[in-house]
Amino acid sequence: MDHDILALLDDSRGGAAPPEFRIEPADHSGLTAYRALRHETFVERQGLFASHDVDDRDTDPRTLVLVARDEAGTVLGGVRLGPAQDGPDFGWWTGGRLVVAPGSPHGVGRALVRAACARAESEGALRFEATVQVQNERMFTRLGWQHVRPVTVADVRHILMRWPIGRVAVLAQATKRPLGTLLPGLTGSPGFFGDDGVPIPGSDLVAACDAIVPSMVERDPEWAGWCSVLVNVNDLAAMGAEPVALLDALGARDASFAARVLSGLRKASSAYGVPVLGGHTQFGVPASLAVTALGRAAEPVPGGGGKPGQALYLTADLEGRWRPGYTGRLWDSTSSRRTPELRDQLGAVARARPAAAKDVSMAGLAGTLGMLAEASGCGAVLDVTKVPRPAGTTVGDWFTCFPGFAMLTAGAPAPARAAVTAECGELVAGSGVRLRWPDGEVTTVVDGGVTGLGEAA
Protein backbone atom coordinates (compact mmCIF):
# COMPACT_ATOMS: atom_id res chain seq x y z
CA MET A 1 0.00 0.00 0.00
CA ASP A 2 2.81 2.46 0.95
CA HIS A 3 4.63 2.06 -2.36
CA ASP A 4 1.37 2.70 -4.27
CA ILE A 5 0.83 5.95 -2.34
CA LEU A 6 4.41 7.05 -2.89
CA ALA A 7 4.07 6.36 -6.61
CA LEU A 8 0.96 8.54 -6.78
CA LEU A 9 2.91 11.29 -5.04
CA ASP A 10 5.80 10.79 -7.46
CA ASP A 11 8.05 9.95 -4.52
CA SER A 12 10.43 7.07 -5.20
CA ARG A 13 12.75 7.75 -2.28
CA GLY A 14 11.45 5.04 0.06
CA GLY A 15 8.61 2.81 1.09
CA ALA A 16 8.10 -0.91 1.34
CA ALA A 17 9.00 -2.97 -1.70
CA PRO A 18 6.06 -4.61 -3.45
CA PRO A 19 5.61 -8.27 -2.46
CA GLU A 20 7.15 -10.81 -4.80
CA PHE A 21 4.17 -13.13 -4.49
CA ARG A 22 0.72 -13.47 -2.96
CA ILE A 23 -1.17 -16.39 -1.41
CA GLU A 24 -4.76 -17.01 -2.51
CA PRO A 25 -7.33 -19.79 -2.90
CA ALA A 26 -6.81 -21.63 -6.16
CA ASP A 27 -9.22 -20.99 -9.02
CA HIS A 28 -9.52 -23.44 -11.92
CA SER A 29 -6.33 -22.28 -13.61
CA GLY A 30 -4.47 -22.22 -10.31
CA LEU A 31 -5.59 -25.74 -9.47
CA THR A 32 -4.47 -26.99 -12.89
CA ALA A 33 -1.05 -25.37 -12.51
CA TYR A 34 -0.71 -26.65 -8.93
CA ARG A 35 -1.41 -30.25 -9.92
CA ALA A 36 1.00 -30.01 -12.82
CA LEU A 37 3.68 -28.72 -10.48
CA ARG A 38 2.94 -31.57 -8.06
CA HIS A 39 3.28 -34.15 -10.83
CA GLU A 40 6.57 -32.66 -11.97
CA THR A 41 7.93 -32.65 -8.40
CA PHE A 42 6.62 -35.81 -6.75
CA VAL A 43 6.37 -38.12 -9.80
CA GLU A 44 8.95 -37.02 -12.32
CA ARG A 45 11.68 -35.47 -10.18
CA GLN A 46 11.46 -37.22 -6.79
CA GLY A 47 9.92 -40.49 -7.96
CA LEU A 48 7.70 -40.81 -4.86
CA PHE A 49 4.81 -42.05 -6.99
CA ALA A 50 4.91 -44.26 -10.10
CA SER A 51 2.40 -42.55 -12.39
CA HIS A 52 0.48 -39.88 -10.46
CA ASP A 53 0.11 -38.45 -6.95
CA VAL A 54 -3.67 -37.90 -7.04
CA ASP A 55 -5.63 -39.48 -4.16
CA ASP A 56 -9.04 -39.32 -2.45
CA ARG A 57 -8.24 -36.00 -0.80
CA ASP A 58 -8.09 -34.38 -4.24
CA THR A 59 -11.65 -35.45 -5.04
CA ASP A 60 -13.10 -34.53 -1.65
CA PRO A 61 -15.18 -31.36 -2.21
CA ARG A 62 -14.14 -30.10 1.23
CA THR A 63 -10.45 -30.02 0.27
CA LEU A 64 -9.05 -26.51 -0.13
CA VAL A 65 -6.02 -25.54 -2.20
CA LEU A 66 -3.95 -22.41 -1.63
CA VAL A 67 -1.48 -21.23 -4.26
CA ALA A 68 1.29 -18.67 -4.41
CA ARG A 69 1.34 -16.44 -7.51
CA ASP A 70 3.88 -13.87 -8.62
CA GLU A 71 2.95 -10.44 -9.95
CA ALA A 72 2.42 -11.90 -13.42
CA GLY A 73 -0.01 -14.50 -12.06
CA THR A 74 2.32 -17.48 -12.48
CA VAL A 75 1.75 -20.21 -9.89
CA LEU A 76 4.91 -20.61 -7.82
CA GLY A 77 3.64 -23.27 -5.45
CA GLY A 78 0.69 -24.59 -3.56
CA VAL A 79 -0.62 -26.64 -0.66
CA ARG A 80 -3.86 -28.48 0.02
CA LEU A 81 -5.74 -28.91 3.30
CA GLY A 82 -9.03 -30.28 4.53
CA PRO A 83 -10.77 -32.65 6.96
CA ALA A 84 -8.70 -35.71 7.73
CA GLN A 85 -11.53 -38.24 7.50
CA ASP A 86 -14.58 -38.96 5.40
CA GLY A 87 -17.94 -38.17 6.96
CA PRO A 88 -18.59 -35.39 9.49
CA ASP A 89 -15.94 -32.76 10.04
CA PHE A 90 -14.85 -33.15 13.68
CA GLY A 91 -12.24 -30.39 13.56
CA TRP A 92 -9.31 -32.65 12.64
CA TRP A 93 -7.63 -31.31 9.49
CA THR A 94 -4.52 -32.29 7.59
CA GLY A 95 -2.31 -30.43 5.15
CA GLY A 96 -0.23 -31.95 2.40
CA ARG A 97 1.26 -31.94 -1.08
CA LEU A 98 3.21 -28.76 -0.33
CA VAL A 99 5.17 -27.89 -3.47
CA VAL A 100 7.27 -24.94 -4.64
CA ALA A 101 8.54 -24.43 -8.19
CA PRO A 102 12.35 -24.34 -8.63
CA GLY A 103 13.72 -20.81 -8.79
CA SER A 104 10.82 -19.29 -6.83
CA PRO A 105 11.44 -16.30 -4.55
CA HIS A 106 12.69 -17.03 -1.05
CA GLY A 107 9.96 -17.78 1.50
CA VAL A 108 7.18 -19.16 -0.74
CA GLY A 109 7.04 -22.49 1.09
CA ARG A 110 6.95 -20.88 4.53
CA ALA A 111 4.23 -18.47 3.45
CA LEU A 112 2.10 -21.33 2.14
CA VAL A 113 2.48 -23.23 5.40
CA ARG A 114 1.53 -20.18 7.47
CA ALA A 115 -1.47 -19.52 5.24
CA ALA A 116 -2.60 -23.14 5.56
CA CYS A 117 -2.39 -22.94 9.37
CA ALA A 118 -4.44 -19.75 9.43
CA ARG A 119 -7.04 -21.17 7.06
CA ALA A 120 -7.40 -24.41 9.04
CA GLU A 121 -7.99 -22.45 12.23
CA SER A 122 -10.50 -20.17 10.52
CA GLU A 123 -12.39 -23.29 9.36
CA GLY A 124 -12.80 -24.40 12.98
CA ALA A 125 -10.05 -27.01 13.21
CA LEU A 126 -8.64 -27.79 16.65
CA ARG A 127 -6.14 -30.32 15.31
CA PHE A 128 -4.01 -29.71 12.22
CA GLU A 129 -1.28 -32.07 11.04
CA ALA A 130 0.93 -32.78 8.05
CA THR A 131 3.26 -35.56 6.95
CA VAL A 132 6.51 -33.78 6.16
CA GLN A 133 9.49 -34.97 4.17
CA VAL A 134 12.50 -35.41 6.44
CA GLN A 135 14.45 -32.62 4.76
CA ASN A 136 11.59 -30.18 5.48
CA GLU A 137 11.22 -30.97 9.19
CA ARG A 138 13.59 -28.19 10.18
CA MET A 139 11.54 -25.56 8.32
CA PHE A 140 8.32 -26.71 9.95
CA THR A 141 9.96 -26.74 13.37
CA ARG A 142 11.14 -23.17 12.90
CA LEU A 143 7.57 -22.21 12.00
CA GLY A 144 6.37 -23.58 15.34
CA TRP A 145 5.21 -27.05 14.36
CA GLN A 146 5.70 -29.98 16.75
CA HIS A 147 7.28 -33.36 15.95
CA VAL A 148 4.77 -36.18 16.60
CA ARG A 149 6.39 -39.36 15.21
CA PRO A 150 8.00 -40.87 12.10
CA VAL A 151 5.62 -42.24 9.45
CA THR A 152 5.97 -43.79 6.01
CA VAL A 153 4.46 -42.26 2.86
CA ALA A 154 4.99 -43.95 -0.52
CA ASP A 155 7.63 -46.19 1.08
CA VAL A 156 9.64 -43.13 2.10
CA ARG A 157 10.24 -41.96 5.68
CA HIS A 158 8.33 -38.82 6.62
CA ILE A 159 7.63 -37.01 9.90
CA LEU A 160 4.11 -36.49 11.22
CA MET A 161 4.01 -32.93 12.55
CA ARG A 162 1.30 -30.98 14.34
CA TRP A 163 0.49 -27.29 14.36
CA PRO A 164 -0.32 -26.24 17.98
CA ILE A 165 -3.75 -24.59 17.80
CA GLY A 166 -4.14 -22.55 20.98
CA ARG A 167 -7.70 -21.34 20.50
CA VAL A 168 -9.09 -23.04 23.61
CA ALA A 169 -6.16 -22.17 25.86
CA VAL A 170 -6.08 -18.53 24.74
CA LEU A 171 -9.80 -18.10 25.44
CA ALA A 172 -9.54 -19.72 28.87
CA GLN A 173 -6.51 -17.64 29.74
CA ALA A 174 -8.12 -14.39 28.61
CA THR A 175 -11.40 -14.95 30.47
CA LYS A 176 -10.39 -16.83 33.64
CA ARG A 177 -6.63 -17.03 34.26
CA PRO A 178 -6.27 -13.81 36.35
CA LEU A 179 -8.79 -15.04 38.95
CA GLY A 180 -6.23 -17.08 40.87
CA THR A 181 -4.20 -14.00 41.77
CA LEU A 182 -7.16 -11.66 42.30
CA LEU A 183 -9.57 -13.56 44.54
CA PRO A 184 -7.50 -14.98 47.43
CA GLY A 185 -8.45 -13.27 50.67
CA LEU A 186 -12.06 -12.76 49.71
CA THR A 187 -14.49 -14.78 51.78
CA GLY A 188 -16.31 -17.71 50.21
CA SER A 189 -18.47 -20.64 51.16
CA PRO A 190 -16.51 -23.86 51.92
CA GLY A 191 -16.57 -26.21 48.95
CA PHE A 192 -17.97 -23.53 46.61
CA PHE A 193 -15.04 -21.12 46.23
CA GLY A 194 -14.93 -20.00 42.60
CA ASP A 195 -18.28 -21.64 41.85
CA ASP A 196 -21.04 -20.26 39.59
CA GLY A 197 -22.89 -18.96 42.63
CA VAL A 198 -22.54 -19.05 46.39
CA PRO A 199 -24.79 -20.52 49.10
CA ILE A 200 -25.74 -17.95 51.75
CA PRO A 201 -24.66 -19.34 55.14
CA GLY A 202 -27.49 -20.23 57.46
CA SER A 203 -30.14 -20.37 54.73
CA ASP A 204 -31.24 -22.21 51.60
CA LEU A 205 -30.51 -19.14 49.47
CA VAL A 206 -28.00 -19.21 46.62
CA ALA A 207 -26.77 -15.95 45.05
CA ALA A 208 -25.16 -15.33 41.67
CA CYS A 209 -23.94 -12.14 40.02
CA ASP A 210 -22.79 -11.47 36.46
CA ALA A 211 -21.86 -8.35 34.52
CA ILE A 212 -22.29 -8.00 30.77
CA VAL A 213 -19.33 -6.84 28.70
CA PRO A 214 -19.81 -3.06 28.21
CA SER A 215 -19.14 -3.27 24.47
CA MET A 216 -22.09 -5.68 24.11
CA VAL A 217 -24.34 -3.38 26.13
CA GLU A 218 -23.40 -0.51 23.84
CA ARG A 219 -23.64 -2.47 20.60
CA ASP A 220 -26.71 -4.63 21.24
CA PRO A 221 -28.59 -3.27 24.29
CA GLU A 222 -31.72 -5.43 24.02
CA TRP A 223 -29.65 -8.62 23.70
CA ALA A 224 -27.45 -7.51 26.59
CA GLY A 225 -30.56 -7.12 28.72
CA TRP A 226 -31.70 -10.62 27.78
CA CYS A 227 -28.27 -12.12 28.47
CA SER A 228 -28.02 -10.47 31.87
CA VAL A 229 -30.90 -12.67 32.99
CA LEU A 230 -29.77 -15.72 31.01
CA VAL A 231 -26.27 -15.98 32.46
CA ASN A 232 -27.48 -15.54 36.03
CA VAL A 233 -30.30 -18.08 35.97
CA ASN A 234 -27.90 -20.53 34.27
CA ASP A 235 -25.43 -20.03 37.14
CA LEU A 236 -28.16 -20.85 39.65
CA ALA A 237 -29.33 -23.82 37.56
CA ALA A 238 -25.80 -25.26 37.57
CA MET A 239 -25.99 -25.39 41.36
CA GLY A 240 -29.39 -27.04 41.38
CA ALA A 241 -31.05 -23.86 42.61
CA GLU A 242 -34.47 -22.61 41.54
CA PRO A 243 -34.26 -18.89 40.60
CA VAL A 244 -36.68 -16.68 42.52
CA ALA A 245 -35.64 -13.03 42.04
CA LEU A 246 -33.34 -10.61 40.21
CA LEU A 247 -31.72 -7.24 40.96
CA ASP A 248 -30.16 -5.08 38.26
CA ALA A 249 -27.60 -2.29 38.14
CA LEU A 250 -27.67 -0.29 34.91
CA GLY A 251 -25.54 2.56 33.66
CA ALA A 252 -26.71 4.42 30.52
CA ARG A 253 -26.02 7.65 28.68
CA ASP A 254 -29.72 8.58 28.68
CA ALA A 255 -33.23 7.27 29.34
CA SER A 256 -33.74 6.20 25.72
CA PHE A 257 -30.73 3.90 25.81
CA ALA A 258 -31.70 2.57 29.24
CA ALA A 259 -35.15 1.71 27.90
CA ARG A 260 -33.61 -0.54 25.22
CA VAL A 261 -31.53 -2.44 27.77
CA LEU A 262 -34.47 -2.80 30.13
CA SER A 263 -36.68 -3.99 27.30
CA GLY A 264 -34.43 -7.04 26.82
CA LEU A 265 -34.16 -7.59 30.56
CA ARG A 266 -37.94 -7.37 30.95
CA LYS A 267 -38.56 -9.89 28.16
CA ALA A 268 -36.11 -12.37 29.66
CA SER A 269 -37.54 -11.89 33.14
CA SER A 270 -40.98 -12.70 31.78
CA ALA A 271 -39.80 -15.63 29.65
CA TYR A 272 -37.98 -17.29 32.56
CA GLY A 273 -40.66 -16.39 35.09
CA VAL A 274 -38.17 -14.70 37.42
CA PRO A 275 -39.19 -11.20 38.64
CA VAL A 276 -36.89 -8.19 38.87
CA LEU A 277 -37.52 -6.88 42.40
CA GLY A 278 -35.33 -3.80 42.30
CA GLY A 279 -31.93 -2.39 41.47
CA HIS A 280 -30.17 0.82 40.49
CA THR A 281 -30.16 2.93 37.32
CA GLN A 282 -27.80 5.82 36.59
CA PHE A 283 -27.81 8.17 33.59
CA GLY A 284 -25.04 10.19 31.98
CA VAL A 285 -22.44 7.41 32.30
CA PRO A 286 -20.88 4.81 29.96
CA ALA A 287 -22.97 1.72 29.26
CA SER A 288 -22.79 -0.95 31.97
CA LEU A 289 -25.06 -3.71 33.21
CA ALA A 290 -24.83 -6.19 36.08
CA VAL A 291 -27.52 -8.44 37.51
CA THR A 292 -27.70 -10.37 40.75
CA ALA A 293 -29.92 -13.44 40.96
CA LEU A 294 -31.26 -15.20 44.05
CA GLY A 295 -32.37 -18.81 44.13
CA ARG A 296 -33.22 -21.59 46.56
CA ALA A 297 -31.54 -24.97 46.97
CA ALA A 298 -31.57 -27.12 50.09
CA GLU A 299 -28.42 -28.95 48.92
CA PRO A 300 -26.55 -26.97 46.23
CA VAL A 301 -24.57 -28.94 43.66
CA PRO A 302 -20.89 -27.91 43.64
CA GLY A 303 -18.85 -27.27 40.54
CA GLY A 304 -15.92 -29.05 42.18
CA GLY A 305 -17.56 -32.26 43.37
CA GLY A 306 -16.19 -34.55 40.66
CA LYS A 307 -13.70 -37.40 41.02
CA PRO A 308 -11.41 -39.25 38.60
CA GLY A 309 -13.25 -42.07 36.88
CA GLN A 310 -16.61 -40.31 36.72
CA ALA A 311 -18.28 -39.96 33.35
CA LEU A 312 -18.87 -36.51 31.89
CA TYR A 313 -22.15 -35.49 30.28
CA LEU A 314 -23.22 -32.48 28.24
CA THR A 315 -26.83 -31.33 28.07
CA ALA A 316 -27.18 -28.64 25.39
CA ASP A 317 -29.97 -26.91 23.51
CA LEU A 318 -28.92 -27.29 19.88
CA GLU A 319 -31.79 -25.31 18.39
CA GLY A 320 -31.36 -21.66 17.47
CA ARG A 321 -28.73 -19.73 15.54
CA TRP A 322 -25.68 -17.54 15.90
CA ARG A 323 -26.64 -14.16 17.27
CA PRO A 324 -26.28 -11.66 14.39
CA GLY A 325 -22.96 -9.90 14.76
CA TYR A 326 -21.56 -12.66 16.97
CA THR A 327 -21.15 -15.60 14.57
CA GLY A 328 -18.91 -18.23 16.09
CA ARG A 329 -19.10 -16.62 19.52
CA LEU A 330 -22.69 -16.43 20.83
CA TRP A 331 -25.27 -19.11 20.11
CA ASP A 332 -28.86 -18.01 20.76
CA SER A 333 -30.86 -21.06 21.80
CA THR A 334 -33.07 -19.29 24.35
CA SER A 335 -34.83 -16.23 22.92
CA SER A 336 -37.30 -18.33 20.90
CA ARG A 337 -38.06 -20.81 23.69
CA ARG A 338 -41.31 -20.83 25.68
CA THR A 339 -41.35 -20.48 29.47
CA PRO A 340 -42.07 -24.19 30.21
CA GLU A 341 -39.07 -25.22 28.08
CA LEU A 342 -36.77 -22.67 29.72
CA ARG A 343 -37.88 -23.63 33.23
CA ASP A 344 -37.43 -27.31 32.45
CA GLN A 345 -33.85 -26.66 31.37
CA LEU A 346 -33.17 -24.68 34.53
CA GLY A 347 -34.36 -27.60 36.64
CA ALA A 348 -32.19 -30.26 34.96
CA VAL A 349 -29.35 -30.29 37.52
CA ALA A 350 -31.72 -30.12 40.50
CA ARG A 351 -33.55 -33.21 39.21
CA ALA A 352 -30.38 -35.17 38.39
CA ARG A 353 -28.25 -34.36 41.46
CA PRO A 354 -24.89 -35.06 39.76
CA ALA A 355 -21.62 -35.00 41.67
CA ALA A 356 -20.59 -31.75 39.96
CA ALA A 357 -22.07 -29.33 37.44
CA LYS A 358 -21.04 -26.24 35.50
CA ASP A 359 -22.97 -24.23 32.95
CA VAL A 360 -20.84 -23.52 29.88
CA SER A 361 -19.74 -19.91 30.18
CA MET A 362 -17.61 -17.43 28.25
CA ALA A 363 -14.61 -19.76 28.68
CA GLY A 364 -16.35 -22.09 26.20
CA LEU A 365 -17.09 -25.80 26.51
CA ALA A 366 -13.49 -26.98 26.89
CA GLY A 367 -12.51 -24.07 29.15
CA THR A 368 -15.54 -24.58 31.40
CA LEU A 369 -14.75 -28.28 31.62
CA GLY A 370 -11.27 -27.25 32.72
CA MET A 371 -12.82 -25.19 35.52
CA LEU A 372 -14.95 -28.15 36.68
CA ALA A 373 -11.92 -30.44 36.61
CA GLU A 374 -9.67 -27.92 38.36
CA ALA A 375 -12.19 -27.38 41.17
CA SER A 376 -12.53 -31.16 41.47
CA GLY A 377 -8.76 -31.58 41.77
CA CYS A 378 -8.34 -33.62 38.61
CA GLY A 379 -8.16 -33.49 34.81
CA ALA A 380 -10.63 -34.28 32.04
CA VAL A 381 -10.77 -35.99 28.66
CA LEU A 382 -13.41 -34.93 26.14
CA ASP A 383 -14.41 -37.20 23.25
CA VAL A 384 -14.70 -34.85 20.27
CA THR A 385 -17.06 -37.09 18.28
CA LYS A 386 -19.48 -37.58 21.18
CA VAL A 387 -20.12 -33.91 21.97
CA PRO A 388 -23.63 -32.82 20.85
CA ARG A 389 -23.23 -29.96 18.35
CA PRO A 390 -25.68 -27.93 16.23
CA ALA A 391 -25.67 -28.71 12.51
CA GLY A 392 -23.55 -26.28 10.53
CA THR A 393 -21.28 -25.26 13.42
CA THR A 394 -17.58 -26.09 13.49
CA VAL A 395 -15.91 -27.87 16.38
CA GLY A 396 -13.66 -24.88 16.95
CA ASP A 397 -16.59 -22.48 17.22
CA TRP A 398 -18.78 -24.77 19.34
CA PHE A 399 -15.99 -25.61 21.79
CA THR A 400 -15.17 -21.92 22.37
CA CYS A 401 -18.52 -20.10 22.10
CA PHE A 402 -21.15 -19.15 24.66
CA PRO A 403 -23.87 -21.69 23.77
CA GLY A 404 -27.03 -20.26 25.35
CA PHE A 405 -27.93 -23.29 27.43
CA ALA A 406 -25.33 -26.02 27.89
CA MET A 407 -24.67 -27.86 31.15
CA LEU A 408 -21.68 -30.05 31.97
CA THR A 409 -22.23 -32.66 34.68
CA ALA A 410 -20.02 -35.31 36.26
CA GLY A 411 -21.26 -38.62 37.61
CA ALA A 412 -24.81 -38.42 36.24
CA PRO A 413 -26.57 -36.92 33.20
CA ALA A 414 -28.96 -33.99 33.60
CA PRO A 415 -31.42 -34.27 30.69
CA ALA A 416 -33.95 -31.63 29.68
CA ARG A 417 -36.83 -31.98 27.21
CA ALA A 418 -35.73 -29.26 24.78
CA ALA A 419 -32.06 -30.29 24.85
CA VAL A 420 -29.78 -33.15 23.83
CA THR A 421 -27.82 -35.09 26.44
CA ALA A 422 -24.79 -37.29 25.76
CA GLU A 423 -21.94 -38.91 27.64
CA CYS A 424 -18.85 -37.31 26.14
CA GLY A 425 -15.82 -37.96 28.31
CA GLU A 426 -14.53 -38.61 31.79
CA LEU A 427 -12.65 -37.08 34.67
CA VAL A 428 -9.12 -38.43 35.06
CA ALA A 429 -6.17 -38.13 37.41
CA GLY A 430 -3.90 -35.18 36.73
CA SER A 431 -4.92 -31.75 35.49
CA GLY A 432 -6.00 -29.86 32.38
CA VAL A 433 -8.24 -30.84 29.49
CA ARG A 434 -7.44 -33.18 26.64
CA LEU A 435 -9.38 -34.03 23.50
CA ARG A 436 -9.76 -37.61 22.29
CA TRP A 437 -10.02 -37.92 18.49
CA PRO A 438 -11.59 -40.56 16.19
CA ASP A 439 -8.22 -42.27 15.63
CA GLY A 440 -7.60 -42.57 19.37
CA GLU A 441 -5.05 -39.73 19.44
CA VAL A 442 -5.25 -37.45 22.48
CA THR A 443 -4.22 -33.78 22.36
CA THR A 444 -3.98 -31.24 25.16
CA VAL A 445 -6.00 -28.02 24.86
CA VAL A 446 -5.78 -26.78 28.46
CA ASP A 447 -2.52 -27.42 30.27
CA GLY A 448 -3.11 -27.29 34.04
CA GLY A 449 -5.72 -25.23 35.84
CA VAL A 450 -7.90 -22.66 34.14
CA THR A 451 -8.40 -20.14 36.94
CA GLY A 452 -5.50 -20.84 39.29
CA LEU A 453 -7.99 -21.10 42.16
CA GLY A 454 -7.24 -24.78 42.62
CA GLU A 455 -9.41 -27.43 44.21
CA ALA A 456 -12.62 -26.11 45.76
CA ALA A 457 -12.72 -28.53 48.69
Side-chain angles (χ1 to χ4, degrees):
M1 180 67 73
D2 290 342
H3 66 273
D4 291 335
I5 295 173
L6 289 170
L8 288 172
L9 296 175
D10 196 25
D11 186 345
S12 58
R13 293 171 294 176
E20 295 182 273
F21 58 89
R22 64 184 184 275
I23 309 295
E24 63 187 26
D27 56 14
H28 179 72
S29 65
L31 187 60
T32 300
Y34 165 65
R35 289 187 176 175
L37 187 55
R38 274 174 39 181
H39 185 87
E40 176 189 343
T41 302
F42 300 129
V43 179
E44 297 177 4
R45 183 147 43 88
Q46 296 183 358
L48 289 175
F49 304 96
S51 57
H52 65 81
D53 72 326
V54 177
D55 60 17
D56 292 344
R57 297 272 74 84
D58 289 309
T59 57
D60 188 332
R62 302 171 301 173
T63 296
L64 305 173
V65 172
L66 303 177
V67 296
R69 292 182 184 270
D70 63 15
E71 288 186 296
T74 302
V75 171
L76 304 174
V79 65
R80 71 178 187 189
L81 65 155
Q85 291 189 316
D86 296 335
D89 178 4
F90 289 113
W92 171 23
W93 278 45
T94 58
R97 298 294 196 271
L98 172 67
V99 63
V100 177
S104 294
H106 184 69
V108 171
R110 293 195 299 273
L112 284 166
V113 173
R114 291 192 185 100
C117 294
R119 184 59 184 265
E121 292 197 45
S122 72
E123 295 289 337
L126 290 181
R127 176 184 173 188
F128 186 46
E129 295 167 337
T131 52
V132 177
Q133 293 188 28
V134 173
Q135 65 267 28
N136 292 329
E137 180 183 4
R138 186 178 181 184
M139 179 187 78
F140 276 76
T141 300
R142 287 180 171 178
L143 291 173
W145 286 62
Q146 300 169 344
H147 177 110
V148 180
R149 57 180 169 269
V151 294
T152 299
V153 177
D155 296 324
V156 176
R157 185 173 179 269
H158 284 61
I159 306 297
L160 178 64
M161 304 197 73
R162 181 175 298 143
W163 172 246
I165 297 178
R167 180 171 180 173
V168 172
V170 168
L171 176 65
Q173 187 171 35
T175 56
K176 301 297 180 181
R177 177 65 69 182
L179 297 179
T181 57
L182 293 173
L183 298 184
L186 296 176
T187 57
S189 183
F192 294 92
F193 186 63
D195 223 302
D196 295 307
V198 59
I200 306 300
S203 73
D204 66 349
L205 286 176
V206 178
C209 182
D210 260 306
I212 303 301
V213 177
S215 60
M216 179 190 290
V217 183
E218 190 70 43
R219 178 182 181 183
D220 200 348
E222 291 87 354
W223 176 241
W226 179 278
C227 287
S228 69
V229 175
L230 164 65
V231 295
N232 276 284
V233 296
N234 278 354
D235 283 347
L236 293 178
M239 301 187 71
E242 179 184 7
V244 296
L246 302 165
L247 301 170
D248 75 291
L250 171 63
R253 57 179 177 266
D254 53 37
S256 175
F257 185 86
R260 296 177 64 189
V261 177
L262 293 173
S263 172
L265 193 152
R266 186 179 294 110
K267 289 177 182 177
S269 168
S270 175
Y272 280 99
V274 185
V276 178
L277 299 184
H280 175 77
T281 303
Q282 185 171 349
F283 301 121
V285 295
S288 62
L289 176 62
V291 166
T292 297
L294 300 176
R296 292 190 180 277
E299 297 181 25
V301 175
K307 296 179 180 179
Q310 290 179 332
L312 290 168
Y313 301 86
L314 178 68
T315 297
D317 189 349
L318 306 186
E319 299 297 321
R321 59 171 185 161
W322 294 117
R323 177 69 183 179
Y326 297 94
T327 297
R329 293 180 292 161
L330 295 176
W331 182 261
D332 178 14
S333 64
T334 60
S335 64
S336 60
R337 288 293 186 195
R338 296 176 295 116
T339 298
E341 296 170 324
L342 295 173
R343 295 293 299 200
D344 179 70
Q345 290 177 351
L346 295 183
V349 171
R351 294 190 299 269
R353 304 297 308 167
K358 277 277 191 182
D359 73 297
V360 178
S361 66
M362 296 307 295
L365 172 61
T368 300
L369 176 56
M371 296 168 66
L372 186 154
E374 179 184 15
S376 299
C378 58
V381 175
L382 194 62
D383 278 291
V384 176
T385 62
K386 296 180 180 180
V387 174
R389 177 165 51 107
T393 62
T394 69
V395 167
D397 285 347
W398 186 242
F399 279 35
T400 56
C401 76
F402 177 78
F405 176 82
M407 200 70 64
L408 281 164
T409 59
R417 290 195 303 269
V420 175
T421 301
E423 181 178 342
C424 55
E426 67 271 354
L427 294 177
V428 297
S431 63
V433 178
R434 291 175 289 165
L435 302 183
R436 183 183 293 124
W437 297 91
D439 61 343
E441 193 83 3
V442 175
T443 61
T444 299
V445 289
V446 177
D447 188 5
V450 174
T451 66
L453 294 172
E455 191 171 354

